[in-house]
Amino acid sequence: MTSYEDLAKRLGVNLDTETLRLALTHRSYAYEHGGCPHNERLEFLGDSVLGLSITNLLYRSFPDRSEGELAKLRAAVVSSKALARVARAIDLGEHILLGEGEIKTAGRDKTSILADTMEAIFGAVYLSLGFVEAEALVLRLVAPLLDDKDAIGAGMDWKTVIQEHAAQAGMGAVVYVVEGEGPDHQRTFTAEVLIGGTAYGTGTGRSKKEAERAAAEHAWERLDPERRA
């Protein structure tokens, strides 16, 4: 069994080798091999297939959720972090065709490359087998993330969630206070989020953005009734 056949079997789709190879061809590989076709057009197509499949699932599965809540769930499930999580679970990285530069910089485990390739596969399945098969693949691989709180949390834009909640509830301005410590090459940041002057959460990270995101998530754990229950 070839590497492509093994991957197709793992995906559970009867996708021909040529189309699957195209879906796995990163632009860095194409540039180093005479400008051969790469997967970005399939990625563009697969992004829409993924979005529609998940949107349809959320609409039917959560009749009591508002449009805003559904949009946040969808954003979390189709985020690069969530898709890369799926890709790692099926060892997709080992099959991706990369240029030497990407190989040397651990491109096979880069979140962006894994997520983009996952979308390209969805696009390839749609193009070759139709929407029903493509949607089935999306639901088989991605839908389980809806039950994975870690996966949802990793893909959620917590700062936007906090900002919108504070505005809707009239809680006052959202302010992040960030401090850093340690040498420049190994700096750690701690953030505290204040809403209307009251502290609601703290978080740490290797960058200010990461620390602020962690603080916002911590604050939401205190503010969300479902999490407090």
Side-chain angles (χ1 to χ4, degrees):
M1 181 181 293
T2 67
S3 173
Y4 296 123
E5 290 172 337
D6 176 60
L7 178 59
K9 183 177 181 181
R10 203 176 304 165
L11 292 168
V13 295
N14 187 24
L15 197 61
D16 66 274
T17 298
E18 183 178 348
T19 302
L20 184 53
R21 178 184 171 86
L22 177 59
L24 295 167
T25 303
H26 188 257
R27 65 177 178 271
S28 63
Y29 180 92
Y31 293 159
E32 292 181 11
H33 291 78
C36 67
H38 53 75
N39 65 7
E40 288 187 354
R41 282 173 56 85
L42 285 177
E43 175 197 334
F44 168 76
L45 184 61
D47 176 67
S48 294
V49 173
L50 171 66
L52 179 56
S53 300
I54 294 300
T55 298
N56 184 43
L57 173 67
L58 292 174
Y59 183 85
R60 295 177 184 280
S61 300
F62 302 103
D64 298 327
R65 296 289 184 96
S66 68
E67 180 271 341
E69 291 173 318
L70 294 176
K72 289 183 178 69
L73 269 177
R74 179 179 60 192
V77 174
V78 305
S79 70
S80 293
K81 288 183 178 179
L83 291 179
R85 192 185 188 102
V86 171
R88 292 185 180 103
I90 61 173
D91 295 323
L92 184 63
E94 67 180 78
H95 300 280
I96 300 175
L97 298 174
L98 295 171
E100 289 301 319
E102 287 291 355
I103 292 175
K104 291 177 181 177
T105 55
R108 296 191 188 284
D109 194 49
K110 283 185 180 177
T111 293
S112 59
I113 291 177
L114 289 171
D116 290 347
T117 306
M118 202 72 252
E119 288 182 338
I121 287 177
F122 295 145
V125 173
Y126 167 77
L127 203 61
S128 296
L129 305 174
F131 181 73
V132 172
E133 287 291 334
E135 182 182 37
L137 178 61
V138 169
L139 297 183
R140 189 160 62 249
L141 295 180
V142 181
L145 295 180
L146 288 169
D147 297 320
D148 188 332
K149 291 185 178 180
D150 289 337
I152 292 294
M156 191 69 79
D157 182 357
W158 294 113
K159 291 183 66 176
T160 297
V161 170
I162 289 295
Q163 190 69 44
E164 291 178 350
H165 179 83
Q168 291 171 1
M171 298 175 67
V174 178
V175 177
Y176 292 88
V177 179
V178 185
E179 297 181 351
E181 61 179 4
D184 290 342
H185 68 282
Q186 201 172 9
R187 203 158 178 76
T188 299
F189 294 89
T190 300
E192 182 176 45
V193 57
L194 307 176
I195 307 176
T198 300
Y200 278 88
T202 59
T204 60
R206 298 299 298 275
S207 68
K208 291 182 179 179
K209 184 177 180 180
E210 186 179 323
E212 288 175 352
R213 181 190 175 283
E217 182 176 5
H218 183 211
W220 185 242
E221 290 175 354
R222 293 183 59 189
L223 292 168
D224 182 20
E226 291 187 8
R227 287 193 173 213
R228 292 201 306 264

